[in-house]
Every structure is written in structure tokens, then in C-alpha cells.
Amino acid sequence: MTTAAQKAKSAITLKGSAEIVCDYLNYGINSILFQRGLYPPESFKSDENYGLTILMSTDNKIKEFLSTTLGQLKGWLVDRTVTKVALVITNVKTLEVMERWDFNVEYEGDANCGEQTSEKPLKQIKNEIRDVLKQIASSVAYLPLLDCLCSFDIQIYTKNDVALPSEWTEAEPANIKNAQSVKMRSFSTNIHRMETVVTYKNDD
Amino acid sequence: MTENVNDTIMKMVKNLKASGQTEIVNNFQFAPLKRSISSSNSNESSFDEPTPLKKLKQESKLDLSYIGSPREMRRLRADLIEARNTILSLENRISHMHGLRKQMQLMFDEENQILKRQQDYDKKSIEELENQLQIIRKREADVKRELAEVNNKYQLLKIKTSEQVEKLEKSLEEFKEESRLIESEENSIIPGLERKIAELETMLEAAEEDAEAQKNLAVELEKQLFEKNAVQRDSEIKEQALQKAKLYIKELEYAKENVLEFQDQAKTQAYKLANYIEMEKENEQLKEENVRLKEEVRNKLLLEEEVYDLKNRLTKFKIQEKKLTDLQVQETQNAMYLNEWRAVARGICESTESDSALPHLLRSTVERLQQQELTLTSEKVELESQLKTVSHEAKVAKSELEKNLKLLGELKTTGEQKQSLIHRMQKKLLLVSRERDSYRLQLDSYEKDLTLCAITTTSSGSGPNQLQAQKERIENLERIVEGYRDMVNKLENDLQNAQPTAHTDTVPVRAEQISRLQDEVQHLKYENEQLRDRRDELEIQLESYLVGHDTLQGGQVLHLANNPLAECLAQRENLVDKLEQEVEKLKRKNKEHGGGN
């Protein structure tokens, strides 16, 4: 009885795992928006998480957009219909895709065994996420400077049998010409595995 | 008395006559003027005076009849008419003036009243003001007196305070002296402290007294509070009692109304009771009637049911009649069919027996025929199987024939090839034999030369060199001859090898080889196709792994329609539109300016 209780205490459920992934995406995307200079730095406010100081946007429009998108994504992650989440940075003037941050989602464990739980300690997962976020923060060193007016979009790659919610539309996959890509570390909750890859336009 | 009265009347009559005479005289001379004056005078005097004047006019009219010349009369008449007109106009004016005067009088009266009222009011206000003035004067006097008193008091106070100041100064000096004394006497501090303690104790006592007084007060207040609460409770209880009483009153009123209603009802009931016996009789009558009606109703229902039943039966009968006619028709038809069938059966059975035996006969014949059919079908099946086997054999034979024909064709082609080969070989052989002949001729010539040379060597000194050269030539030629021999041998071998293969039966071996090769070819083709597919797959994979290309591997890409990029683009478009509009505006302005210049 006590062991079961302890198990229940330390286990991560499918929903919890989706929550962790969405939290990571929220912090990661905010960090990218700050690091890549898409929005003025004064519109960001520092927030402490994963043992790091991450700058989060205070723009209400961005916050609302992210919360809507990630809320929908959470549902899809629970349904196992998402294969990839892409943050696409586009030049507003020429509509050219400058950068694409791919967050590839893989599902681990058996989906059919009822209540799926993970025994992986939360601290370890957070450490893994911290490493990825550090890499994202340091990616500024090699990514080319975005010296034009750019904006971003979040595209979610799903399987075929997904009903389109209201206010959502289908999008074209973003291709980058003359591209180069860098693979970051990945983290896993033993239910979802998330791999982060940045693909950017090579100026040379 | 009566005499006096008569005298006065007489006087009046005389006076009247006299005045009338004088006025008549006046009328002759200044009738209009006098009248105007009199009328103007009458305005000033009382209002009732014009009546005697009118009487006078009448008198003057009467007097005119006896005056002499008609011209004068006419003139007088015209004057008279004029005078009358003026009298009328003057009377009008008088009445108008009277009206005006009355209005004026009214106005004057009103104004007079207003003025009087104002005067009263002013008088009152003056009196009030005078009163106030007197009061103020009194107050002034009082204030002056008070001022004097206060000044006196102030002086006294000043004196007193100066005295006090002096006293205090004195006491200060004394205190200073005392303090000095105290300072000198250090021991005198203790009694001071003791005094202080005593004072504090007294203060404490006073405080305690105060506290006790407060406590007492609190107790009293509590008592009062308690009393008040009791009073409040009493009042609440009373209020409740009042409400109860009110409710009770309402109930009583309701009961009273009920009683009135009951009284009414009792009256009606009494009336009804009076009519009870009659009603009972009626009731009995009605009951009897009711029973009768019920029975009638029952009878009616029974009849209705019967009618309904009969109707149903009628419809059923109709349907059955129809059926009957149909069945009769069918029966006649069937009888006809039966006769036909019987005739047919008789024809089949070839018998003229009675109808009873006919079905048995027919059955037996049918069975016989069925058996016959069975045997025939079995025979047919056998024959079909035989036909199949034969046709299969024929097919096999055909295929063999085809194979043999193919073989024949191949053999023919090989034979032709071989003949051509033989032909070529013979040609070659001819060439070779000719060459051989030529070489033989050469050899003979060389031998001849050799013999000649041998003769010459014996005769001449330069023999060894020539011999050496000829030896070399001979060796060379021998080598060539050897080569040719080898070639000839080889060709002969070839010929021999070719000839036996041409004659031996090599067809099955070749067929096997061909089939094997065909199999191999097919296998290779299959492998080739497989490899091509694999290559295509790999190419597709390669494309998908190409950096920067984000191909969809099934599934769909979704995003929020209201994303920041779309928003940014919309803003930009708006901006561009605005700028374009501005540009157009500026262009227009520019044109206008250009046109103006």
C-alpha cells in the first residue's frame, strides 16, 4: 500500500508529461524570441526556472498566442497526434524563411497500456531541459544576425486524422534555401522525447 | 302743517314758472352757449342735474309756434338742430368724461389704498427701526458699561498680577535660598523623596478611589443596561402580544365573515329544505326515467353491435363471393388444363386406358425416361472426359510439334551456318593449298638456287658468306612453313571439330541452356527492378534528409490563423497602403502645382 502510494507520488502521468513539454516549449520559444531579437529587449522580463534566468515576453499578444497554441498542443500531445513543432522565423519584407526551430516529438512507451506513467525523477528531466535551454541561449554565437524585420509563427505537424479546431488553418511546410542545421541536446520524460534542431539560412 | 305744505308747493310752482320764463328769454339769445356752460357746470356739480334741462327744452319747443317771420323760424330751426346736435355730442362727451372720471377715480382709489398700505408699512418699519435703534442704544450703553468694568477688572488684574509677580519673585528668591540650603544639606533630600513617595501614595489612593468610583459607575451602568434590556424585552413581549392580538382580531373578523356566510347558506338551506319533499318526488321520477333511458341505451348499443357485426359479415360474404367466382373460373380452367394434360399423358403413354391408371403409367414412363437420361448423361460425361483427355493430348502433341518445328528451324539455321562455315573453310583451304603450292614452287626454286649456289661456291672464293646467308633464309622459310603447317593443322582440327558437332544431336542441350539462360535473364531483370526501386526509395530518403527542406511525410501542418507573422504582414500591408495613398496625394498635389505654374 505504501509503496503504491509512493509510486503514485513520484510518477509522471501522460498529461503531466505533456505539461512539462509545453512548459519547455514556452520557455524555449520565449528565450529564442529574446535571443534572436525579434522583439525589443525592454518588452522582456526575467523569470527564474530550471535553475536558469530566462527572459519571458511581457507582450500580451505574444503571451496570448503562446498560451492558445500550447494549450491546443497539450491536447494533441496527450492524443499522440503531434510529430513536430516548428518555430518559423520569416522575413516580413521578402517572406523568406530565415530560421526554423524544429522540436521533434517522439513517443516512448506503450500507448495501449492504459494510464501511462513515467518513473523518471522530475529533477533529472529539469536538468536535461536546462541543458537544452543553455544550448539555445548560446546558439546566438553561431547563428547569423537577423538584420531585417522578422516575425515568427508556430507550426504543428500532426498526423492525418486530426480535426481542425476553429481559428486554426493548414500551413505550408517552411523550407530554407542553402540551409545549415545544428542539432541540440534532447530531453525525455520517458513518455515524450523532444529533440531540438535549428535550421538556418547560410549567408555564404 | 297742511298749509305750510301747500305754501311750499305753491312757491315751487311759481319759481318754476319764473325760471322757465327767464330761460325762454335766454334761449332766444344764447341758447347753445348757455347750454354748453350749463352742461360744463353740470360736470362739476352732481350727476342728476341734466333732467330738468330736458324739460326746459320741451317747453321752448312749444313756445316757438307763435313767433313771427318764417325765415327767422327756419334760421332758428337750423340753429335748434345744430344746438341739438351739439347737445348730443356734448352729452356723449359728458358720458365719456364720466366714464373716464370713474376710471380715474377707481385708479385714484386704488393708488390711494396702495399708498395708504405703504404708509402703514413704512410706519411700521419706522417703528421697528426706532425700536431697534433704541435696543442698539441700550446695548451700546451696556457694552460701554461692560467696557468700563472690563477696564477696571483689567487694571485690578494688572495690579494683582504685578503683586503676584512680586510675590513669585520673592518666593523664587526664597526657593533659591531654600535650594541653596537644600544643596548645602544633602541629607535633606531623603525627606523630599519621602514627601514625593507620600505624594505618589496619595495620588495612588486618589487613583484607586477613582477606579472604585469608575467601578461603581460601571455597576450602575450595568444595572441601568439590565433595566433597559428588561424594559426592551417587556416592550418586545408587548409588541408580540399586540401582534398576536391583531392576528386574533383578524381571525375573529374572518370568523365573523364566515358566520355571515354560514347564515346566508343556512337561509338557502332552509329554503331548499322546504322544497325537499317536492324535489324528492321529482328525483324519484327522474330516477325512473333514468333507469328507462339506461335500458334503452343498452338496447341501442346491442342493436348497434348487431348491426356492426352484420355489416362485417356482409363485407366478408362479398369478398368470399368474389373469391368463389374466381375459384369457379379457376376450376373450369384447371379442368381444361387437366383434360389437356390427360390427352398429353395418353399420347406419351400410348394407351387408351381409363383415367385412373393413367398417372401410374405416366410415372413409370417418366421414371424410365429419367433413367435413360441418367445413363445418357453418364455416357456424355465419359465422352466429355475422353474428349478432354484427347484434347489435352492434342495440345501436348501440338506443343511437341511446335517444339519440333522450332528445333527443325534451328537445325536448318545451324545447317545453313555450318554450310556457310564449310564453304568458308573450303575457300580458306583453297587459299591455303594455293599458298602451299606457291611455297612449294618457291621451295623448288630455292632448292634450285641452292644447287646452283653449291656449284658456284665450289667454283668461287666468297662461298662461306653466301652459304651462311642461305642457311639463314632456309631457317626462316622452314619456320614459316612450320607456322603454316600449324595453321593448317589447326584449321583441319577446327573442321573436324565443327563437323562432328554438326552431325550430333545437340538440340535438347541447347533448349536446356536457353531456358536456363532465359531464367537467368528474368532473374536478373527482377533484380534490376528491385535495385531500381531501392534506388528510388533511397533518393526519396535523401531528399527528405536534405538540410533545410521540410517535406511532409504524411500528416498535415497546422498553425493558428491569428499568428504574429500574419499580424505583422497585415500591419505592413496597411502601412504600405497608407504610404501609397500618401504618395498618390503628393503626386496629385505636385501635378496641381505644376498646372498652376
Side-chain angles (χ1 to χ4, degrees):
Chain A
M1 188 68 192
T2 49
T3 51
Q6 275 174 355
K7 244 185 185 178
K9 213 185 245 178
S10 63
I12 296 169
T13 59
L14 180 61
K15 275 188 184 175
S17 171
E19 186 105 22
I20 289 167
V21 169
C22 286
D23 272 353
Y24 158 68
L25 284 173
N26 188 25
Y27 282 106
I29 288 166
N30 268 299
S31 182
I32 290 163
L33 293 181
F34 174 75
Q35 299 288 356
R36 306 301 294 132
L38 283 178
Y39 291 93
E42 58 265 23
S43 74
F44 287 84
K45 169 186 96 197
S46 61
D47 191 1
E48 199 87 26
N49 205 346
Y50 307 112
L52 289 170
T53 307
I54 299 156
L55 284 141
M56 304 291 285
S57 178
T58 53
D59 191 331
N60 283 329
K61 277 185 183 171
I62 295 168
K63 276 159 112 179
E64 198 190 321
F65 171 69
L66 283 177
S67 73
T68 316
T69 310
L70 295 176
Q72 183 58 55
L73 177 67
K74 211 181 285 173
W76 281 333
L77 281 172
V78 172
D79 297 341
R80 289 171 170 261
T81 46
V82 183
T83 55
K84 188 166 109 176
V85 180
L87 169 69
V88 182
I89 297 174
T90 313
N91 184 349
V92 176
K93 201 172 172 186
T94 60
L95 289 180
E96 190 182 16
V97 180
M98 304 303 283
E99 250 176 64
R100 195 181 68 235
W101 291 78
D102 291 336
F103 303 96
N104 295 321
V105 185
E106 282 169 40
Y107 300 94
E108 295 178 323
D110 189 10
N112 300 320
C113 68
E115 259 319 280
Q116 197 184 359
T117 54
S118 160
E119 303 293 319
K120 193 167 180 175
L122 189 64
K123 202 177 175 187
Q124 196 183 333
I125 296 168
K126 284 203 166 181
N127 281 341
E128 285 178 12
I129 291 174
R130 188 190 59 200
D131 292 348
V132 184
L133 285 171
K134 272 185 181 172
Q135 276 193 319
I136 288 172
S138 59
S139 64
V140 180
Y142 54 82
L143 287 173
L145 184 72
L146 296 172
D147 52 354
C148 51
L149 181 63
C150 290
S151 190
F152 79 102
D153 186 12
I154 295 176
Q155 297 181 339
I156 298 177
Y157 290 61
T158 61
K159 288 171 185 165
N160 269 327
D161 51 351
V162 171
L164 206 64
S166 63
E167 294 182 11
W168 285 74
T169 52
E170 284 199 33
E172 286 295 312
N175 291 331
I176 302 174
K177 283 173 199 163
N178 189 19
Q180 202 156 343
S181 82
V182 177
K183 203 167 173 182
M184 309 269 169
R185 280 165 196 258
S186 62
F187 75 91
S188 166
T189 63
N190 278 357
I191 297 172
H192 296 105
R193 168 173 283 281
M194 176 141 282
E195 187 184 56
T196 309
V197 180
V198 57
T199 309
Y200 59 93
K201 194 181 165 215
N202 204 355
D203 281 337
D204 303 333
Chain B
M1 277 294 280
T2 49
E3 278 182 4
N4 280 336
V5 170
N6 286 332
D7 282 340
T8 52
I9 290 164
M10 284 296 283
K11 267 183 190 171
M12 277 174 77
V13 170
K14 276 178 187 171
N15 283 340
L16 193 74
K17 261 188 182 173
S19 67
Q21 280 170 346
T22 53
E23 274 184 27
I24 290 160
V25 176
N26 285 339
N27 269 345
F28 287 127
Q29 289 170 350
F30 327 88
L33 248 178
K34 195 140 192 214
R35 259 163 215 162
S36 71
I37 290 158
S38 69
S39 68
S40 64
N41 285 339
S42 72
N43 259 343
E44 283 171 8
S45 62
S46 72
F47 197 65
D48 298 321
E49 275 178 22
T51 37
L53 271 175
K54 270 182 188 173
K55 279 175 190 171
L56 285 173
K57 269 190 240 168
Q58 277 173 350
E59 278 168 15
S60 67
K61 248 185 196 175
L62 289 170
D63 288 341
L64 280 173
S65 58
Y66 68 90
I67 288 169
S69 70
R71 194 186 160 192
E72 214 174 67
M73 265 206 4
R74 235 178 281 143
R75 198 177 53 88
L76 281 170
R77 262 179 200 163
D79 281 351
L80 194 69
I81 290 159
E82 250 185 41
R84 271 181 200 162
N85 282 336
T86 48
I87 287 160
L88 276 171
S89 66
L90 285 168
E91 274 176 356
N92 280 337
R93 265 182 72 183
I94 288 156
S95 60
H96 181 67
M97 292 302 275
H98 272 297
L100 274 172
R101 198 190 66 97
K102 272 182 188 172
Q103 277 183 1
M104 290 296 281
Q105 210 163 5
L106 281 168
M107 271 174 68
F108 282 137
D109 284 346
E110 276 175 12
E111 251 177 86
N112 208 4
Q113 278 177 355
I114 289 162
L115 285 167
K116 272 179 184 171
R117 244 179 272 148
Q118 215 171 356
Q119 198 191 9
D120 289 344
Y121 181 73
D122 287 348
K123 268 181 187 171
K124 273 180 195 170
S125 59
I126 287 158
E127 279 173 5
E128 276 175 11
L129 284 167
E130 275 175 351
N131 282 334
Q132 275 187 357
L133 196 69
Q134 280 179 350
I135 290 161
I136 287 162
R137 272 178 190 157
K138 272 181 194 170
R139 273 170 68 186
E140 202 190 343
D142 287 346
V143 168
K144 272 181 181 169
R145 218 187 305 134
E146 274 176 19
L147 186 69
E149 279 173 12
V150 167
N151 276 331
N152 285 337
K153 275 183 188 172
Y154 172 69
Q155 294 292 341
L156 282 169
L157 212 98
K158 228 180 176 179
I159 294 157
K160 275 181 187 172
T161 44
S162 56
E163 280 172 5
Q164 271 186 345
V165 166
E166 278 172 16
K167 273 183 192 173
L168 284 167
E169 275 173 355
K170 272 180 194 170
S171 62
L172 192 70
E173 277 172 13
E174 279 171 11
F175 280 131
K176 274 179 183 171
E177 278 173 19
E178 271 181 24
S179 70
R180 255 175 244 143
L181 283 169
I182 286 157
E183 275 173 4
S184 61
E185 294 169 13
E186 282 177 297
N187 291 333
S188 63
I189 295 164
I190 295 158
L193 284 168
E194 274 172 358
R195 215 189 309 137
K196 269 186 185 173
I197 286 161
E199 275 174 14
L200 283 167
E201 274 173 356
T202 50
M203 272 168 77
L204 187 69
E205 276 171 10
E208 274 173 357
E209 278 171 9
D210 272 6
E212 274 182 7
Q214 295 286 342
K215 271 179 189 171
N216 287 331
L217 200 74
V219 168
E220 276 176 16
L221 285 167
E222 269 177 3
K223 270 180 196 169
Q224 279 181 3
L225 193 71
F226 184 69
E227 280 168 11
K228 274 179 183 169
N229 279 337
V231 169
Q232 210 175 356
R233 229 175 288 141
D234 280 354
S235 73
E236 274 173 9
I237 288 159
K238 275 171 189 169
E239 268 180 11
Q240 277 178 359
L242 187 72
Q243 278 180 349
K244 271 183 193 169
K246 274 179 183 171
L247 281 172
Y248 191 61
I249 286 158
K250 274 182 187 169
E251 275 174 16
L252 283 172
E253 276 174 0
Y254 181 65
K256 195 182 154 192
E257 280 173 10
N258 277 344
V259 165
L260 287 171
E261 273 179 24
F262 279 129
Q263 276 175 356
D264 287 344
Q265 276 186 353
K267 276 176 192 171
T268 52
Q269 290 294 335
Y271 181 68
K272 278 180 187 170
L273 208 65
N275 291 336
Y276 179 69
I277 295 161
E278 284 175 21
M279 281 167 86
E280 224 171 34
K281 274 180 197 170
E282 263 182 55
N283 195 12
E284 274 175 12
Q285 277 180 1
L286 288 167
K287 270 180 186 169
E288 278 171 17
E289 217 176 323
N290 203 1
V291 168
R292 202 155 44 77
L293 284 167
K294 270 182 185 169
E295 274 176 9
E296 276 176 12
V297 165
R298 214 175 295 144
N299 289 336
K300 197 200 154 199
L301 280 171
L302 279 170
L303 284 168
E304 269 179 358
E305 269 175 24
E306 270 181 26
V307 165
Y308 181 69
D309 196 28
L310 286 168
K311 271 183 187 168
N312 275 345
R313 279 163 85 181
L314 193 71
T315 51
K316 274 181 194 166
F317 273 126
K318 275 179 185 169
I319 292 160
Q320 278 182 348
E321 249 177 83
K322 268 186 196 168
K323 273 188 187 170
L324 188 72
T325 50
D326 288 347
L327 285 169
Q328 276 172 351
V329 171
Q330 270 191 346
E331 202 223 321
T332 49
Q333 238 177 357
N334 284 334
M336 278 165 70
Y337 283 138
L338 191 68
N339 282 331
E340 274 176 29
W341 279 111
R342 269 179 193 155
V344 169
R346 276 202 196 105
I348 289 163
C349 297
E350 294 170 349
S351 68
T352 52
E353 281 178 33
S354 65
D355 290 347
S356 59
L358 203 63
H360 296 288
L361 278 169
L362 191 67
R363 187 171 285 168
S364 60
T365 49
V366 164
E367 276 172 1
R368 197 153 39 80
L369 285 169
Q370 277 177 344
Q371 274 178 348
Q372 273 183 359
E373 206 191 337
L374 274 172
T375 49
L376 284 168
T377 46
S378 61
E379 275 176 24
K380 194 188 146 192
V381 167
E382 271 179 32
L383 285 168
E384 271 178 355
S385 61
Q386 277 179 359
L387 186 72
K388 269 183 189 170
T389 49
V390 168
S391 59
H392 183 67
E393 279 171 13
K395 268 185 192 169
V396 171
K398 262 186 188 172
S399 62
E400 275 181 11
L401 188 71
E402 276 175 12
K403 272 186 197 168
N404 286 329
L405 279 171
K406 264 187 203 166
L407 273 176
L408 204 69
E410 278 174 13
L411 284 172
K412 269 181 186 171
T413 50
T414 46
E416 278 170 7
Q417 281 176 354
K418 272 159 199 167
Q419 269 184 347
S420 65
L421 200 74
I422 289 161
H423 194 67
R424 260 189 290 149
M425 290 290 177
Q426 279 173 348
K427 271 184 183 172
K428 268 191 180 176
L429 202 67
L430 264 174
L431 276 172
V432 168
S433 55
R434 266 181 212 162
E435 248 181 316
R436 192 192 59 187
D437 289 345
S438 70
Y439 283 132
R440 262 188 197 155
L441 281 173
Q442 264 192 333
L443 200 70
D444 286 342
S445 67
Y446 283 141
E447 271 174 358
K448 270 179 196 168
D449 279 354
L450 199 71
T451 49
L452 280 173
C453 284
I455 293 162
T456 50
T457 47
T458 50
S459 59
S460 65
S462 59
N465 281 338
Q466 275 186 347
L467 204 76
Q468 196 72 27
Q470 276 178 349
K471 261 184 189 174
E472 280 173 4
R473 275 171 70 184
I474 286 161
E475 276 174 3
N476 279 337
L477 287 169
E478 272 176 354
R479 248 181 260 149
I480 291 165
V481 169
E482 279 287 312
Y484 274 107
R485 263 183 201 155
D486 284 347
M487 210 170 85
V488 168
N489 278 332
K490 215 165 77 180
L491 285 169
E492 274 174 355
N493 275 331
D494 275 358
L495 201 65
Q496 272 180 349
N497 282 333
Q499 270 171 350
T501 50
H503 291 294
T504 49
D505 193 9
T506 55
V507 177
V509 180
R510 282 198 175 183
E512 265 181 28
Q513 264 188 342
I514 286 160
S515 65
R516 212 179 55 212
L517 285 169
Q518 275 174 349
D519 283 349
E520 234 174 358
V521 164
Q522 276 188 345
H523 183 70
L524 287 169
K525 271 183 185 171
Y526 178 63
E527 263 189 357
N528 198 5
E529 276 181 10
Q530 267 191 337
L531 285 168
R532 268 184 190 165
D533 287 349
R534 177 89 185 122
R535 197 195 67 174
D536 287 347
E537 270 179 25
L538 285 169
E539 267 180 3
I540 288 163
Q541 267 194 348
L542 195 70
E543 263 185 4
S544 72
Y545 285 124
L546 250 175
V547 176
H549 271 265
D550 200 6
T551 46
L552 272 176
Q553 292 148 355
Q556 47 192 1
V557 187
L558 304 175
H559 70 152
L560 259 178
N562 185 22
N563 55 51
L565 177 64
E567 216 169 278
C568 212
L569 286 173
Q571 274 180 6
R572 195 185 146 74
E573 245 174 60
N574 274 339
L575 193 77
V576 167
D577 281 355
K578 266 188 199 168
L579 288 171
E580 273 178 359
Q581 279 176 4
E582 215 172 285
V583 164
E584 284 209 352
K585 231 189 260 174
L586 287 169
K587 271 183 186 170
R588 238 179 290 144
K589 267 192 187 175
N590 211 357
K591 266 185 191 176
E592 277 172 22
H593 278 291
N597 285 336

